[in-house]
């Protein structure tokens, strides 16, 4: 059961199912009741946390997901594909293209409107979803495509984290931010003392959990988005305890955290307006995710492959890079968060942005399924032909 929940296929299916369910429920007769529930505020104002249930999901629960992202990012930077600069340079450049071009498309479509600050929305790639689609339809593809996609998506997430921390910070409280740094240092010291598998570690783990919660609380009050606390905690956690934490928490993240976030984020009422009345934000996201991503990743990836080609090291073909580019258009989780941060004060545009992320990612999912299936079929046919020639 645990292996099933950990699989990229399960994560992708769970995310899509939760998002569709959220959209359906929000537009059903029980929609108003769901809206009231998500707007309800648990009685935690005494500790400075007067948040609605919806905000608890996006600010609190999603921090767990970013904690795991940071642990995976650190693993890739230390021991994975990103630990070798020669290997990392091509996906790094492709990731930059996958951010710049969609952002440029968004700015072009929304030029002259008050919505240009939403440019970060189409810059993100959903690792879980993209790997899930690749796993479902990519049987027979060379492992290099998955490695390239994983490296690109991890770097893409790193850029998204920087955008969230810098662009969406507001009224920064430097005293709270300084306190968060101190708490983070304490967490790091405790992490260095941790020895997974040894006895007598329970109190140390409890202390780390409490310090982690304090770090989150301070980051929230600093004006920096609270999910950044999860990122910081994941990066300072030593590799061995980090790996253990990732192993234990990943199933919960895949089965609960991400689906709940997808359900809550997608629970919007479809605007009763004509297509021509939709805001430029809707069209900007719908175009930038499936189109801007594939253009940016492919263009920058191909150029980087030509510039940094070295003898003795295989590189992805043009069509393989396009395949990764199409998969990169699946924004979903982080794009939904970016939309929420960008248009939190404009509910109508916020709802249109959610629908745009779902539509744009949906187009990218369908396109990815087709492209990955065709590429996998071509690779399998080529391998079978090669094997037949070898037996003659």
């Amino acid at each position: 059961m645990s292996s099933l929940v950990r699989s990229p296929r399960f994560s992708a299916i769970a995310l899509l199912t939760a998002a569709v369910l959220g959209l359906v429920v929000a537009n059903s007769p029980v929609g108003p009741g769901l809206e009231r529930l998500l707007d309800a505020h648990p009685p935690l104002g005494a500790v400075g946390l007067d948040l609605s249930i919806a905000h608890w999901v996006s600010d609190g629960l999603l921090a767990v997901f970013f904690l795991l992202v940071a642990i995976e990012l650190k693993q890739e930077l230390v021991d994975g594909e990103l630990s070798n600069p020669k290997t990392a340079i091509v996906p790094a450049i492709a990731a930059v293209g996958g951010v710049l071009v969609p952002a440029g498309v968004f700015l072009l479509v929304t030029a002259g409107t008050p919505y240009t600050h939403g440019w970060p929305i189409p810059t993100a790639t959903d690792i879980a979803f993209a790997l899930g689609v690749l796993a479902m339809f990519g049987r027979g593809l060379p492992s290099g495509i998955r490695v390239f996609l994983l490296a690109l998506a991890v770097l893409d997430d790193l850029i998204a984290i920087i955008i969230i921390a810098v662009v969406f910070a507001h009224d920064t409280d430097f005293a709270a931010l300084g306190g968060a740094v101190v708490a983070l240092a304490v967490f790091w010291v405790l992490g260095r003392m941790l020895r997974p598998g040894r006895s007598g570690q329970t109190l140390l783990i409890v202390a780390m959990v409490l310090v982690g919660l304090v770090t989150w609380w301070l980051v929230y009050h600093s004006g920096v988005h609270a999910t950044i606390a999860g990122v910081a905690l994941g990066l300072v956690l030593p590799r061995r305890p980090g790996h253990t934490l990732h192993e234990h928490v990943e199933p919960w993240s895949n089965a609960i955290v991400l689906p709940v976030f997808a359900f809550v984020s997608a629970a919007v009422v479809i605007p009763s307006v004509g297509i021509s009345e939709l805001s430029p934000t809707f069209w900007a996201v719908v175009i930038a995710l499936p189109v801007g991503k594939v253009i940016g990743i492919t263009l920058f990836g191909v150029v980087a492959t030509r510039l940094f080609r070295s003898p003795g090291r295989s590189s992805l073909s043009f069509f393989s890079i396009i395949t990764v580019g199409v998969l990169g258009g699946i924004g979903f989780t982080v794009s939904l968060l970016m939309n929420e941060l960008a248009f939190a004060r404009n509910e109508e545009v916020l709802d249109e942005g959610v629908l745009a992320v779902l539509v744009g990612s949906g187009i990218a999912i369908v396109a990815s399924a087709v492209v990955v299936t065709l590429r996998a079929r071509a690779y399998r046919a080529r391998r079978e032909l090669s094997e037949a020639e070898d037996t003659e």
Side-chain angles (χ1 to χ4, degrees):
M1 185 63 179
S2 177
S3 59
L4 172 64
V5 177
R6 294 179 194 277
S7 72
R9 297 181 185 183
F10 174 88
S11 184
I13 293 172
L15 275 171
L16 183 59
T17 302
V20 171
L21 186 60
L23 190 61
V24 170
V25 172
N27 289 275
S28 73
V30 300
L34 176 63
E35 183 179 1
R36 288 192 296 271
L37 174 65
L38 296 179
D39 286 341
H41 287 238
L44 293 171
V47 292
L49 293 173
D50 186 21
L51 300 175
S52 68
I53 291 177
H55 278 110
W56 270 110
V57 171
S58 62
D59 290 24
L61 201 59
L62 202 61
V64 176
F65 165 71
F66 276 95
L67 170 67
L68 299 184
V69 168
I71 292 173
E72 189 169 5
L73 172 62
K74 184 174 182 178
Q75 177 67 27
E76 288 296 320
L77 289 172
V78 174
D79 287 327
E81 290 298 317
L82 302 181
S83 61
N84 184 345
K86 293 182 179 179
T87 306
I89 187 67
V90 175
I93 293 174
V96 171
V99 170
L100 292 180
V101 175
V105 170
F106 187 98
L107 291 171
L108 185 65
V109 175
T110 59
T113 74
Y115 309 127
T116 53
H117 62 283
W119 63 266
I121 297 171
T123 61
T125 294
D126 192 299
I127 296 180
F129 229 128
L131 290 176
V133 172
L134 184 62
M136 282 188 279
F137 300 98
R139 185 176 63 87
L141 285 176
S143 60
I145 291 181
R146 186 187 186 280
V147 170
F148 189 89
L149 174 62
L150 179 61
L152 180 141
V154 168
L155 289 165
D156 192 288
D157 272 349
L158 176 60
I159 296 172
I161 289 165
I162 294 171
I163 291 174
I164 292 171
V166 176
V167 176
F168 294 118
H170 56 88
D171 302 326
T172 305
D173 184 335
F174 289 100
L177 195 59
V181 172
V182 173
L184 198 62
V186 174
F187 183 85
W188 177 80
V189 171
L190 294 175
R192 302 287 293 182
M193 298 166 58
L194 192 62
R195 298 291 184 271
R198 291 188 181 180
S199 59
Q201 300 285 292
T202 304
L203 288 178
L204 187 58
I205 292 173
V206 171
M208 290 183 68
V209 171
L210 292 176
V211 173
L213 291 174
V214 170
T215 304
W216 179 89
W217 186 87
L218 288 166
V219 171
Y220 169 77
H221 283 284
S222 73
V224 177
H225 195 263
T227 53
I228 298 301
V231 176
L233 292 169
L235 290 176
V236 302
L237 192 63
R239 284 160 51 199
R240 189 178 172 190
H243 176 75
T244 302
L245 177 65
H246 195 284
E247 286 289 308
H248 284 86
V249 177
E250 185 183 34
W252 296 97
S253 178
N254 289 348
I256 298 176
V257 173
L258 291 179
V260 168
F261 174 74
F263 177 86
V264 171
S265 297
V268 300
V269 177
I270 298 176
S272 55
V273 298
I275 293 179
S276 61
E277 297 176 274
L278 290 168
S279 74
T281 296
F282 178 87
W283 299 111
V285 175
V286 167
I287 296 171
L289 270 176
V291 178
K293 272 287 188 180
V294 68
I295 292 175
I297 291 172
T298 303
L299 180 62
F300 280 61
V302 168
V303 170
T305 300
R306 298 288 173 83
L307 289 176
F308 296 97
R309 178 180 295 170
S310 61
R313 184 160 57 91
S314 61
S315 58
L316 289 183
S317 67
F318 174 75
F319 290 107
S320 293
I321 295 176
I322 288 181
T323 302
V324 174
V326 176
L327 287 162
I330 306 174
F332 220 78
T333 306
V334 182
S335 289
L336 288 171
L337 177 61
M338 295 282 202
N339 177 68
E340 181 181 312
L341 295 175
F343 297 113
R345 294 182 176 85
N346 191 328
E347 188 172 340
E348 182 179 345
V349 177
L350 174 64
D351 290 351
E352 290 189 21
V354 170
L355 294 175
V357 170
L358 297 180
V359 172
S361 294
I363 294 171
I365 290 169
V366 173
S368 297
V370 173
V371 171
V372 170
T373 298
L374 293 176
R375 291 295 296 158
R377 188 176 299 168
Y379 268 102
R380 289 197 299 270
R382 191 182 308 166
R383 187 172 62 245
E384 290 169 2
L385 179 61
S386 176
E387 291 173 353
E389 290 177 348
D390 291 340
T391 58
E392 292 178 358

